[in-house]
Amino acid sequence: MLKVEHIGIAVQDLASANQLFAKLFNKAAYKIEEVESEGVNTSFFQLGETKIELLEATQEESPIAKFIKKRGEGIHHIAYEVENIEAEMSRLEKEGFTLLNKVPKQGADNKLVCFLHPKSTNGVLVELCQEIIK
Ligand code: ZN
């Protein structure tokens, strides 16, 4: 893995969280994007090499809605950038980690992503991401 690409934070209300984080960081989000397949609206703030992703549920079935219901707002996942997501997925599966998706899927911010079940990673949801080169 190359670096922490971003940290995902689950929020109840994206518009007000965007304002709050813009004040905190003293800069605005550089991107606001809906990921329909995940049932979320996201925003991204750039802080040096790392980003902060805010996630708001757009429907009750969204993993973010379920997370907030169970645990409240807060840190939802840590995303690590990888060079070759397929290779990393098969390496981690062989190491005994549980992959939540068996093929990389399209994530926010122009990325291919895969999630690891938090039960296999000490309670922290792990996202692998690889930039899609266009
Ligand atoms: Zn993420």
Side-chain angles (χ1 to χ4, degrees), residues 45-60:
F45 294 82
Q46 185 83 47
L47 295 173
E49 281 217 328
T50 305
K51 297 160 188 161
I52 298 295
E53 174 185 26
L54 304 180
L55 305 109
E56 165 199 68
T58 55
Q59 37 157 301
E60 256 175 62

Side-chain angles (χ1 to χ4, degrees), residues 27-41:
K27 63 166 100 175
Y30 70 87
K31 179 186 272 191
I32 294 174
E33 182 183 354
E34 180 173 12
V35 185
E36 246 185 282
S37 57
E38 295 290 306
V40 294
N41 282 323

Side-chain angles (χ1 to χ4, degrees), residues 5-9 42 44 53 55 76-79 108 113 115 127 129:
E5 213 280 334
H6 64 268
I7 296 171
I9 299 175
T42 66
F44 286 87
E53 174 185 26
L55 305 109
H76 176 258
H77 64 271
I78 298 182
V113 302
F115 288 93
E127 174 184 342
C129 61

Side-chain angles (χ1 to χ4, degrees), residues 65-123:
K66 290 179 186 160
F67 177 88
I68 289 179
K69 203 179 264 179
K70 212 166 139 190
R71 298 168 65 170
E73 294 182 298
I75 293 180
H76 176 258
H77 64 271
I78 298 182
Y80 301 96
E81 185 173 338
V82 299
E83 215 154 29
N84 180 333
I85 195 164
E86 273 110 356
E88 204 62 358
M89 285 166 70
S90 75
R91 180 182 76 81
L92 292 170
E93 192 160 42
K94 279 188 207 119
E95 294 283 6
F97 295 94
T98 308
L99 308 184
L100 289 178
N101 48 296
K102 297 288 173 193
V103 290
K105 55 183 181 180
Q106 176 86 46
D109 202 29
N110 195 39
K111 297 278 194 297
L112 285 175
V113 302
C114 173
F115 288 93
L116 305 185
H117 198 292
K119 274 188 186 146
S120 66
T121 50
N122 293 81

